[in-house]
Amino acid sequence: MDALRIRESGTTATLTLLGNWDLDRFSELMHSIPDPSAKGWRQIVIDGGELGTIDTAGSFALLECLGVQEGGPEIRLERFSARNKSILELVHERLGKGKAPKKRKPSFLASIGRGVSDFILACINILAFIGESAASAVELLYRPRIFRGKELAAHLESALVNAVAIVALVMFLIGVVLAYLFASQVEKYGANIFIVDGVVIALARELSPVIVAIIVAGRSGSAFTAQIGAMKLNEEVEALVTLGLSPMHVLVLPRIAALIVALPILVFVGDFVGIAGGMMIAENKLGVSSATFLERLQVAVPIRHFILGAIKAPVFAIFIAIIGCQMGLRTENNARSIGLATTST
């Protein structure tokens, strides 16, 4: 028995359903309905006057082949019984809900606006986290016993002791490169001794704090995010709250304190090693001996340059620790989110 009868009129087709459209005839029904796009149909009238019964399987076969869930032709129902019409409309509605909406590529201005909005929201979140950290730090003044000294020592070992080698290596190479570049210029004018001023001031005032902060941000800041994110993934942060402990006191403040202590010391190490690298190049390339270099250093380079570099270090440390901890606490409970947060840090 045929499943349907088709009558075409231009881009409109009338499909008269015949017999029962149920699960027993599902395979037959799927092969009996033509492709509307191949026929060029834009409107389809489905006539249910000669239809016996229809279930959800028959409704799905009809609407699936007509491409309803893919934005196919317009469908109109005629002469259906109340029961058959309700089943067909129910399946039609479910297929429409399952349809994935087409994603529109945002315009250039929309992308800029979204980026600015995300940046402002990130700044607001960081400011809120700074305020929460400051409030927790003030609480420590009244209750110093709640400070986690063991966590501070562990983070000092990770952020300070274990970082000395990489900081020394990088800053020594920076000092060598910087001195070499200065030497190639001052040698032309016979101002060899001024290599001391250029190398030491550049290192102590700007390069050493910035380069060391970048190393610590990539090394310790991202580690803070990964550690706290993994704890959140394992629901350890929720466990701390359940035990009556504050994540700010246990996780955040010891890390901030560790970096505030560690970064100025690492900057001092960077200054010392970088100047040693510059001294080596000055002696080998310009003939400025180590004794002359150190004498010029004491006479021509004021101590304020070292102080200014040291003042920057705690500020950098606070922002590195706060951003790392905040991104860790904001991670979702999945591994992908931890990776994205670590990269963002």
Side-chain angles (χ1 to χ4, degrees):
M1 179 180 177
D2 291 338
L4 77 165
R5 186 170 60 247
I6 303 174
R7 186 175 73 251
E8 298 184 65
S9 176
T11 59
T12 302
T14 302
L15 306 184
T16 303
L17 308 185
L18 307 174
N20 295 330
W21 281 57
D22 52 25
L23 183 61
D24 295 336
R25 302 180 64 192
F26 184 77
S27 179
E28 175 191 351
L29 298 175
M30 291 292 291
H31 291 88
S32 64
I33 305 173
D35 183 5
S37 60
K39 296 286 189 178
W41 297 340
R42 295 183 180 177
Q43 186 178 34
I44 297 177
V45 179
I46 303 177
D47 186 355
E50 301 181 36
L51 174 67
T53 60
I54 187 170
D55 60 8
T56 55
S59 301
F60 175 79
L62 175 64
L63 299 175
E64 172 77 11
C65 293
L66 295 180
V68 173
Q69 72 277 20
E70 300 174 359
E74 178 186 353
I75 302 294
R76 191 170 79 247
L77 305 180
E78 292 185 354
R79 299 202 303 161
F80 274 82
S81 66
R83 176 185 177 279
N84 291 341
K85 184 176 182 182
S86 64
I87 293 176
L88 196 60
E89 288 178 343
L90 176 64
V91 175
H92 189 184
E93 179 185 355
R94 296 300 179 186
L95 287 175
K97 287 183 178 179
K99 179 174 63 176
K102 294 183 179 179
K103 293 184 178 180
R104 294 180 57 188
K105 185 177 181 181
S107 65
F108 178 71
L109 289 178
S111 299
I112 294 177
R114 184 173 302 170
V116 173
S117 176
D118 292 343
F119 175 76
I120 293 175
L121 181 61
C123 292
I124 293 173
N125 290 332
I126 291 175
L127 288 175
F129 194 79
I130 291 174
E132 187 176 357
S133 301
S136 300
V138 171
E139 186 179 357
L140 289 179
L141 298 177
Y142 300 97
R143 301 170 58 196
R145 291 183 179 180
I146 65 176
F147 185 70
R148 318 289 291 195
K150 292 182 179 180
E151 282 79 1
L152 174 62
H155 295 309
L156 276 175
E157 180 183 2
S158 173
L160 175 57
V161 179
N162 296 341
V164 169
I166 184 65
V167 168
L169 174 62
V170 172
M171 291 310 302
F172 178 80
L173 295 177
I174 292 291
V176 168
V177 172
L178 187 64
Y180 183 82
L181 293 176
F182 271 113
S184 62
Q185 298 301 316
V186 298
E187 191 178 21
K188 298 177 181 179
Y189 304 99
N192 296 4
I193 193 63
F194 289 104
I195 191 174
V196 179
D197 305 52
V199 170
V200 174
I201 293 175
L203 281 172
R205 186 164 181 155
E206 300 296 340
L207 289 181
S208 185
V210 171
I211 299 298
V212 171
I214 291 173
I215 295 172
V216 171
R219 188 180 180 279
S220 299
S222 57
F224 291 170
T225 301
Q227 291 165 0
I228 298 177
M231 292 180 67
K232 191 171 183 183
L233 178 62
N234 295 328
E235 298 184 351
E236 295 177 40
V237 177
E238 288 79 1
L240 288 174
V241 176
T242 303
L243 292 172
L245 301 174
S246 169
M248 297 298 298
H249 293 153
V250 178
L251 302 177
V252 177
L253 293 183
R255 286 173 166 83
I256 294 177
L259 280 195
I260 290 176
V261 174
L263 205 58
I265 298 175
L266 291 175
V267 168
F268 173 76
V269 172
D271 291 341
F272 179 80
V273 177
I275 291 172
M279 188 186 308
M280 183 185 72
I281 294 299
E283 184 170 1
N284 293 334
K285 188 171 176 62
L286 299 178
V288 178
S289 66
S290 301
T292 305
F293 191 100
L294 294 175
E295 183 181 353
R296 176 67 181 179
L297 171 62
Q298 296 177 9
V299 172
V301 181
I303 193 66
R304 71 172 184 273
H305 297 298
F306 292 92
I307 295 175
L308 286 173
I311 290 173
K312 296 176 183 178
V315 179
F316 293 159
I318 291 172
F319 278 98
I320 291 169
I322 284 178
I323 291 173
C325 294
Q326 189 238 8
M327 295 298 293
L329 290 173
R330 288 186 58 201
T331 56
E332 300 173 1
N333 292 333
N334 58 76
R336 181 175 180 272
S337 177
I338 295 177
L340 293 175
T342 304
T343 303
S344 298
T345 301

